[in-house]
């Protein structure tokens, strides 16, 4: 299992979401979390959207299991408690 976090450094909601992702990471240090800066790494952001078939939004988290997206959330849905719940599912 892994988490992809798509972040825009110019977005206020992304700053709030980054704090939630940090809380999740601190509580779950064994879960890999990959940060995609959607401005700096635009090609990677587009590839994540293409590969997983999940429309781009930022901030956005995607929980991946066995190479497949199992859950995603964006904007105010990016919260540590939801990541905890979905990563345990």
């Amino acid at each position: 299992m892994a988490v992809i976090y798509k972040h825009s450094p110019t977005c206020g909601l992304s700053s709030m979401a980054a704090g939630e992702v940090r809380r999740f990471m601190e509580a779950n240090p064994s879960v890999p979390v990959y940060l995609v800066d959607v401005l700096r790494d635009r090609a990677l952001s587009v590839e994540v959207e293409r590969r997983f078939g999940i429309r781009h939004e930022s901030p956005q988290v995607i929980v991946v299991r066995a190479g497949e997206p199992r859950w995603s959330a964006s904007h105010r849905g990016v919260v540590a408690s939801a990541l905890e719940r979905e990563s345990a599912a």
Side-chain angles (χ1 to χ4, degrees), residues 54 61-64 69-73 77-79 82-83 85-86:
I54 296 174
V61 289
I62 302 169
V63 173
V64 179
R70 299 298 182 192
W71 178 81
S72 68
V78 179
V79 293
L83 277 166
R85 181 182 64 246
E86 297 302 326

Side-chain angles (χ1 to χ4, degrees), residues 4 7 18 24 27 37 39 60-62 73 75-76 78 83 86:
I4 299 170
H7 176 81
F24 171 79
D37 180 321
L39 299 180
Q60 182 177 49
V61 289
I62 302 169
H75 299 88
R76 295 190 190 280
V78 179
L83 277 166
E86 297 302 326

Side-chain angles (χ1 to χ4, degrees), residues 41-61:
D41 301 321
R42 182 73 182 139
L44 179 57
S45 178
V46 169
E47 179 60 19
V48 168
E49 178 180 20
R50 185 198 66 75
R51 176 162 182 202
F52 295 119
I54 296 174
R55 183 178 60 112
H56 165 76
E57 298 188 62
S58 71
Q60 182 177 49
V61 289

